[in-house]
Amino acid sequence: MSRRGPDGSLQDDTLHEPEFDPPFEVVEPAALTCPLVFSSPHSGSVYPRRFLEVSRLDANALRRSEDAFVDELFAGVTTLGAPLLRARFPRAYLDLNREAYELDPRMFEGRLPAFANTRSVRVAGGLGTIARVVGESQEIYASRLSVTEALTRIERLYKPYHARLSQLMERAQARFGVAILVDCHSMPSMPSGALGADKRVLTDFVVGDRYGTSAAVQLVEVLERAMRERGFVVQRNKPYAGGYITEHYGTPAAGYHAIQIEVNRAIYMDESKLERAPRFPQMAADITAIIGDLAAFTAGYGLKAAAE
């Protein structure tokens, strides 16, 4: 059975994925006490049967694109009075850190809507809203998808997630006069195409603020100082300055700040086995402590200074 979505696009009810009920979760604090909002858009690990059936790859290969366990690493933020929004569906199925319609026409049977962005750098690299590749440029799909499939994923997953994230940001801004989004990600210790141990990422955290445009510099400095005080190596904006979410939600002049945090996977997990490392509980505790410093900064005069 088909129907029309909110934007008038044709939707097919047979494309419903029962595994995505619900498609995302908001973990709320016992009390909302700070203007921080946390998003984990790439840690989803629910792979629906129908998706696996149309993929050329098995679940283990598809999981290479996950920010595995990142939502668990940041789970302690709720004890600090901040909400955590986390996707359950995987990045390989739909990427929330893209524009809504960054779509590659080579992937689909039929004509994409005229408003689709088919020429972005991310689409060219196979990493649009619906990715064409994972890992070392491994093709995901055995054949083309229908355009209806793409539009249905966007309607049912992408738009509701971003609507909820917007609500959380607006709530924080209304309550505290400012909203600070922390977009939570992980990075492989061995970048794509790198060869040899000397090519491993030597940074523990990369803090991205879109080169100073998405958040007040004081907020970024507090985060970086808290990380370094606990012995971590930190870089700013290199090689990750923040993606669509950081850029879209970060408008400091309007009281909305957005910062991306990338955590080196090697310091909290076994990347080859896709398992938590023995150090995982300590890393989660360290991250909670780091965010605690940021939350404390936003509670007093520092909040006013950051918003100026």
Side-chain angles (χ1 to χ4, degrees), residues 180-204:
I180 303 162
L181 172 63
V182 179
D183 201 36
C184 309
H185 296 266
S186 68
M187 56 186 174
S189 63
M190 187 75 74
S192 178
L195 297 174
D198 60 324
K199 297 297 184 181
R200 289 187 179 276
V201 174
L202 301 180
T203 299
D204 299 316

Side-chain angles (χ1 to χ4, degrees), residues 244-262:
Y244 169 80
I245 289 175
T246 310
E247 182 178 21
H248 179 73
Y249 289 92
T251 53
Y256 291 91
H257 303 261
I259 301 168
Q260 179 175 283
I261 296 179
E262 295 271 0

Side-chain angles (χ1 to χ4, degrees), residues 20 42-47 63 66 68-69 71 87-91:
F20 295 155
H42 288 166
S43 57
S45 59
V46 177
Y47 289 81
R63 289 197 64 196
E66 269 182 40
F69 315 121
D71 56 333
R88 296 183 66 243
F89 53 88
R91 177 187 189 181

Side-chain angles (χ1 to χ4, degrees), residues 171-281:
R171 181 181 71 175
Q173 212 274 347
R175 181 82 58 93
F176 302 102
V178 66
I180 303 162
L181 172 63
V182 179
D183 201 36
C184 309
H185 296 266
S186 68
M187 56 186 174
S189 63
M190 187 75 74
S192 178
L195 297 174
D198 60 324
K199 297 297 184 181
R200 289 187 179 276
V201 174
L202 301 180
T203 299
D204 299 316
F205 291 96
V206 175
V207 179
D209 66 353
R210 301 294 300 180
Y211 302 101
T213 64
S214 69
V217 67
Q218 298 98 321
L219 298 171
V220 178
E221 290 173 345
V222 166
L223 263 180
E224 292 178 339
R225 182 166 60 249
M227 291 168 177
R228 292 190 175 107
E229 286 176 349
R230 290 165 177 84
F232 295 107
V233 179
V234 186
Q235 294 275 6
R236 187 184 304 183
N237 291 320
K238 295 180 180 179
Y240 305 104
Y244 169 80
I245 289 175
T246 310
E247 182 178 21
H248 179 73
Y249 289 92
T251 53
Y256 291 91
H257 303 261
I259 301 168
Q260 179 175 283
I261 296 179
E262 295 271 0
V263 188
N264 188 330
R265 293 174 191 164
I267 65 174
Y268 74 87
M269 66 178 285
D270 183 319
E271 294 175 273
S272 61
K273 296 180 180 179
L274 293 173
E275 295 176 353
R276 300 168 192 80
R279 189 186 178 189
F280 188 93

Side-chain angles (χ1 to χ4, degrees), residues 8-301:
S9 60
L10 190 64
Q11 304 297 299
D12 188 341
D13 288 333
T14 64
L15 299 178
H16 176 65
E17 306 285 16
E19 295 93 338
F20 295 155
D21 290 331
F24 55 83
E25 299 171 328
V26 180
V27 185
E28 292 277 17
L32 191 67
T33 60
C34 70
L36 297 171
V37 174
F38 290 81
S39 170
S40 183
H42 288 166
S43 57
S45 59
V46 177
Y47 289 81
R49 176 186 56 80
R50 195 173 62 84
F51 175 49
L52 294 174
E53 287 175 350
V54 299
S55 172
R56 300 174 63 250
L57 308 174
D58 60 24
N60 284 336
L62 291 169
R63 289 197 64 196
R64 300 298 174 188
S65 68
E66 269 182 40
D67 287 347
F69 315 121
V70 162
D71 56 333
E72 297 177 32
L73 275 182
F74 284 85
V77 302
T78 60
T79 67
L80 303 172
L84 170 65
L85 174 63
R86 58 187 183 187
R88 296 183 66 243
F89 53 88
R91 177 187 189 181
Y93 188 82
L94 179 116
D95 195 335
L96 293 159
N97 202 21
R98 301 289 183 263
E99 297 174 21
Y101 297 98
E102 284 190 79
L103 300 172
D104 186 344
R106 295 171 297 176
M107 291 179 61
F108 306 103
E109 292 288 353
R111 180 174 296 179
L112 290 170
F115 52 76
N117 180 354
T118 63
R119 297 178 179 272
S120 76
V121 172
R122 293 177 289 216
V123 167
L127 297 173
T129 314
I130 296 177
R132 178 172 51 83
V133 301
V134 295
E136 298 293 329
S137 298
Q138 294 176 285
E139 295 278 344
I140 295 174
Y141 298 99
S143 59
R144 292 191 178 199
L145 302 175
S146 69
V147 170
T148 299
E149 169 84 29
L151 299 180
T152 296
R153 292 187 195 182
I154 292 165
E155 285 293 328
R156 291 182 174 166
L157 302 175
Y158 183 100
K159 290 186 177 180
Y161 186 96
H162 279 278
R164 191 71 178 96
L165 182 54
S166 294
Q167 290 170 359
L168 294 173
M169 291 290 284
E170 290 164 4
R171 181 181 71 175
Q173 212 274 347
R175 181 82 58 93
F176 302 102
V178 66
I180 303 162
L181 172 63
V182 179
D183 201 36
C184 309
H185 296 266
S186 68
M187 56 186 174
S189 63
M190 187 75 74
S192 178
L195 297 174
D198 60 324
K199 297 297 184 181
R200 289 187 179 276
V201 174
L202 301 180
T203 299
D204 299 316
F205 291 96
V206 175
V207 179
D209 66 353
R210 301 294 300 180
Y211 302 101
T213 64
S214 69
V217 67
Q218 298 98 321
L219 298 171
V220 178
E221 290 173 345
V222 166
L223 263 180
E224 292 178 339
R225 182 166 60 249
M227 291 168 177
R228 292 190 175 107
E229 286 176 349
R230 290 165 177 84
F232 295 107
V233 179
V234 186
Q235 294 275 6
R236 187 184 304 183
N237 291 320
K238 295 180 180 179
Y240 305 104
Y244 169 80
I245 289 175
T246 310
E247 182 178 21
H248 179 73
Y249 289 92
T251 53
Y256 291 91
H257 303 261
I259 301 168
Q260 179 175 283
I261 296 179
E262 295 271 0
V263 188
N264 188 330
R265 293 174 191 164
I267 65 174
Y268 74 87
M269 66 178 285
D270 183 319
E271 294 175 273
S272 61
K273 296 180 180 179
L274 293 173
E275 295 176 353
R276 300 168 192 80
R279 189 186 178 189
F280 188 93
Q282 182 59 54
M283 274 300 303
D286 285 341
I287 286 175
T288 301
I290 288 165
I291 299 304
D293 287 1
L294 179 61
F297 176 80
T298 66
Y301 80 94

